[in-house]
Structure formats: structure tokens, C-alpha cells
């Protein structure tokens, strides 16, 4: 059954056992300036976690920035649900793209519709394209390293 955007209550939950939440997001410290829609990865450094822009070579837990934040501030990161995402500048979205897989792109903080094929890159699927405005239905990731 297709997911209707209007059916989402936009409830934010940081409790991964919360079965009533329509989206799952976490609040994390920022390691660099982040804009809402950037593809990010959450990393652990020492005893603290932080978020930074992601590309197709990184590791960590990936998501989409829901808010804008500066260094040392906090942002909300979507882990599951619908969110606008910043795509590579070369991508023009059309009707035939809706439903395609969305991957972490080669440029810092950007997404792409094409999985990488180059050695040393990682295929990190974020979810799929929800509409032609750049919204992505984010779901738990599958990460494959290319050797």
C-alpha cells in the first residue's frame, strides 16, 4: 500500500521502541555547519557523538538533517520518515524518478539516484524518492562496500 504523506502525524521519537511514531529522529551535536536537507552521518568520537556531512566513502549511521545548525550546536536527524533532501547539483528530478532508490552521493552532504560503482566507495541506500520536489522516504540503510 503506498504511503500517503498526509497520513504522517509528524511525531518525532527518539525512542526506537516507540511503535506509534510516524518518524524517528535523533538530536545530535554538529561538527560543521549543516543545512536542513543535508545528508549526514552520526559518528562517535570519545564519549560523545556528533554529526557531519556524509559522502559515499564514510561510515556511521546515516540520515537527513531536519534542521540547520552551526558548529557546536545541535540538529535533528531523520532516521525514518519523509524529509526533503539536498541532491547533487547535476540532478534534475522528474516524474520518472519517483520511487527510485536514493543513495549517499559523492559530494559532501548530497544525495544521488545512482549507486557508486568505483572501488573504495560504499553503496549507502537512504531510501527512495517520494516526489519530484526532492522529498525522500528515509528507511533503515543497507551499506555495501565496493572492493
Amino acid at each position: 500500500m503506498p504511503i500517503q504523506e498526509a497520513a504522517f502525524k509528524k511525531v518525532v521519537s527518539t525512542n526506537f521502541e516507540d511503535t506509534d511514531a510516524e518518524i524517528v529522529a535523533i538530536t545530535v551535536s554538529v561538527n560543521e555547519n549543516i543545512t536542513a536537507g543535508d545528508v549526514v552521518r552520526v559518528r562517535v568520537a570519545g564519549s560523545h557523538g556528533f554529526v557531519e556531512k556524509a559522502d559515499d566513502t564514510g561510515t556511521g549511521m546515516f540520515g537527513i538533517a531536519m534542521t540547520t545548525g552551526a558548529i557546536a550546536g545541535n540538529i535533528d536527524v531523520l532516521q525514518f520518515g519523509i524529509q526533503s533532501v539536498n541532491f547533487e547539483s547535476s540532478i534534475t528530478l522528474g516524474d520518472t524518478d519517483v520511487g527510485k532508490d536514493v543513495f549517499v552521493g559523492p559530494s559532501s552532504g548530497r544525495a544521488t539516484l545512482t549507486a557508486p560503482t568505483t572501488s573504495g566507495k560504499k553503496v549507502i541506500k537512504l531510501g527512495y524518492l517520494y516526489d519530484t520536489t526532492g522529498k525522500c522516504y528515509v528507511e533503515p540503510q543497507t551499506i555495501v562496500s565496493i572492493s
Side-chain angles (χ1 to χ4, degrees), residues 3 6 31 33 41 49 53 60 88 94 110 113-114 121 127 132 138:
I3 295 175
N31 195 40
N33 293 335
R41 67 184 181 135
K53 293 177 187 174
E88 296 285 346
R110 298 294 179 248
L113 299 176
T114 307
K121 301 287 185 171
T132 59
V138 179

Side-chain angles (χ1 to χ4, degrees), residues 3 6 9 23 30 34-35 38 42 45 52 72 88 123-124 129 133:
I3 295 175
K9 298 177 191 171
I23 66 172
V30 177
I34 303 286
T35 302
D38 281 348
V42 179
E52 61 190 11
E88 296 285 346
V123 178
I124 307 163
L129 189 64
T133 67

Side-chain angles (χ1 to χ4, degrees), residues 28-35 67-75:
V28 188
S29 297
V30 177
N31 195 40
E32 63 181 311
N33 293 335
I34 303 286
T35 302
T67 52
T68 296
I71 296 174
N74 291 325
I75 64 166

Side-chain angles (χ1 to χ4, degrees), residues 84-145:
S84 291
V85 63
N86 297 329
F87 281 89
E88 296 285 346
S89 60
S90 61
I91 294 177
T92 302
L93 301 172
D95 291 338
T96 58
D97 296 319
V98 174
K100 287 185 177 179
D101 290 336
V102 175
F103 302 95
V104 175
S107 300
S108 181
R110 298 294 179 248
T112 185
L113 299 176
T114 307
T117 57
T118 307
S119 178
K121 301 287 185 171
K122 293 182 176 68
V123 178
I124 307 163
K125 181 181 171 192
L126 293 170
Y128 62 87
L129 189 64
Y130 184 77
D131 63 19
T132 59
T133 67
K135 288 184 182 172
C136 178
Y137 181 76
V138 179
E139 56 190 3
Q141 300 101 24
T142 301
I143 301 173
V144 177
S145 292

